[in-house]
């Protein structure tokens, strides 16, 4: 079983729509969680960290459910510029700073 | 500005040739990583280093080698033993090796192709 699993999509949504992605992780010892955005043929860029209490950054909201071992990303009022691949990343810790990446969920926002 | 610099941006390798990809960071990060990404695929870990003069194999280390003689630098050599080297190579770094809540930061990558 993969460490981190995501629905590859693509999610095709109109501008202004709300869209949500989920990601599951297999190891309950996982400590830190992140969402990255990757544009075509570019490097991944940190979108936001995910905290236990949930957190929001503008139109983006991240949630963590440790009991069910999943994290989510909600994008409100989608923009054309949100079109990208969104990567779920998990860090399992204690003297072992190794990151586990999902394969990504592709989002296409249409006019 | 602090960041991670990868060079070259594009690299071509001939059959039987070793090539070295450069990665330098001025973020004062302890940990550094090399990933490979094939078209339409996720990132796969090649090697990582938590501290100077120490490094560990990742999931696909065969055909690759690294060194970590300086904190700022983590070069990756793609050897002739790597039969399918064409890919997008990404270098990353993260803060203190035991700081689990610190994310990774990436360089802008090197595209390697076979001539």
């Amino acid at each position: 079983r993969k460490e981190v699993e995501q629905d590859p999509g693509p999610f095709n949504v109109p501008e202004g729509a709300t869209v949500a992605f989920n990601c599951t992780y297999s190891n309950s010892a996982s400590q830190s969680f992140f969402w990255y955005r990757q544009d075509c043929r570019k490097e991944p860029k940190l979108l936001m960290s995910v905290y236990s209490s949930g957190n929001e950054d503008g139109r983006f909201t991240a949630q963590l459910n440790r009991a069910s071992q999943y994290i989510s990303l909600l994008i409100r009022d989608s923009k054309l510029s949100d079109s990208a691949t969104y990567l779920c990343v998990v860090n399992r810790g204690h003297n072992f700073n190794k990151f586990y990446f999902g394969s990504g969920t592709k989002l296409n926002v249409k006019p | 500005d602090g960041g991670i610099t990868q060079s070259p941006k594009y690299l071509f390798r001939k059959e039987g040739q070793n090539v070295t990809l450069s990665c330098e960071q001025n973020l004062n990060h302890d940990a550094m990583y090399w990933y490979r990404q094939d078209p339409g695929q996720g990132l796969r870990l090649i090697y990582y280093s938590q501290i100077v003069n120490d490094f560990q194999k990742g999931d696909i280390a065969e055909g690759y080698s690294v060194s970590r003689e300086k904190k700022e630098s983590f070069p990756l050599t793609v050897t002739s033993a790597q039969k399918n080297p064409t890919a997008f190579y990404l270098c990353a770094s993260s803060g203190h090796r035991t700081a689990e809540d610190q994310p990774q930061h990436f360089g802008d990558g090197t595209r390697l192709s076979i001539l």
Side-chain angles (χ1 to χ4, degrees):
Chain A
R1 185 181 170 190
K2 288 183 182 179
E3 289 272 349
V4 181
E5 301 215 49
Q6 295 182 249
D7 180 344
F11 285 58
N12 298 308
V13 302
E15 266 187 296
T18 295
V19 61
F21 310 135
N22 285 335
C23 159
T24 58
Y25 59 94
S26 61
N27 196 310
S28 60
S30 299
Q31 299 291 327
S32 305
F33 308 89
F34 310 93
W35 283 102
Y36 281 73
R37 170 197 170 121
Q38 186 174 25
D39 292 289
C40 188
R41 299 177 67 81
K42 298 284 191 182
E43 76 276 20
K45 292 186 177 174
L46 179 67
L47 180 65
M48 58 197 304
S49 301
V50 186
Y51 302 118
S52 297
S53 55
N55 50 299
E56 190 173 301
D57 182 1
R59 297 181 294 108
F60 299 86
T61 300
Q63 298 277 357
L64 168 63
N65 185 320
R66 285 190 185 271
S68 301
Q69 295 181 203
Y70 79 82
I71 67 174
S72 64
L73 177 68
L74 181 79
I75 305 176
R76 290 182 299 278
D77 188 23
S78 299
K79 312 289 184 194
L80 295 176
S81 56
D82 293 334
S83 297
T85 296
Y86 291 83
L87 305 175
C88 171
V89 182
V90 170
N91 186 342
R92 183 148 49 90
H94 298 314
N95 296 319
F96 192 68
N97 205 7
K98 191 174 171 187
F99 294 78
Y100 297 88
F101 285 76
S103 297
T105 297
K106 188 165 176 57
L107 172 65
N108 295 316
V109 181
K110 309 286 190 182
Chain B
D1 283 338
I4 302 174
T5 301
Q6 287 188 241
S7 62
K9 199 170 180 71
Y10 299 94
L11 186 58
F12 298 91
R13 194 192 88 170
K14 295 180 182 177
E15 292 284 344
Q17 186 182 39
N18 293 354
V19 292
T20 297
L21 284 59
S22 170
C23 178
E24 304 277 330
Q25 54 100 358
N26 60 4
L27 299 167
N28 199 33
H29 284 171
D30 284 323
M32 297 187 74
Y33 310 78
W34 274 105
Y35 295 91
R36 169 181 172 141
Q37 188 174 36
D38 293 279
Q41 305 295 314
L43 277 67
R44 292 187 290 168
L45 182 65
I46 304 172
Y47 268 98
Y48 63 102
S49 168
Q50 304 279 28
I51 199 167
V52 175
N53 292 323
D54 184 58
F55 49 82
Q56 305 294 330
K57 291 182 179 180
D59 302 315
I60 55 164
E62 187 174 347
Y64 300 97
S65 65
V66 292
S67 63
R68 186 86 187 276
E69 296 175 3
K70 298 187 299 181
K71 188 174 184 178
E72 305 79 30
S73 178
F74 191 41
L76 173 74
T77 297
V78 184
T79 74
S80 56
Q82 174 48 248
K83 297 306 179 189
N84 184 22
T86 297
F88 187 38
Y89 290 86
L90 287 158
C91 179
S93 70
S94 66
H96 191 276
R97 60 191 170 93
T98 61
E100 299 131 359
D101 60 343
Q102 294 195 24
Q104 284 186 324
H105 300 271
F106 285 85
D108 57 6
T110 293
R111 293 197 178 275
L112 176 62
S113 302
I114 293 182
L115 277 178

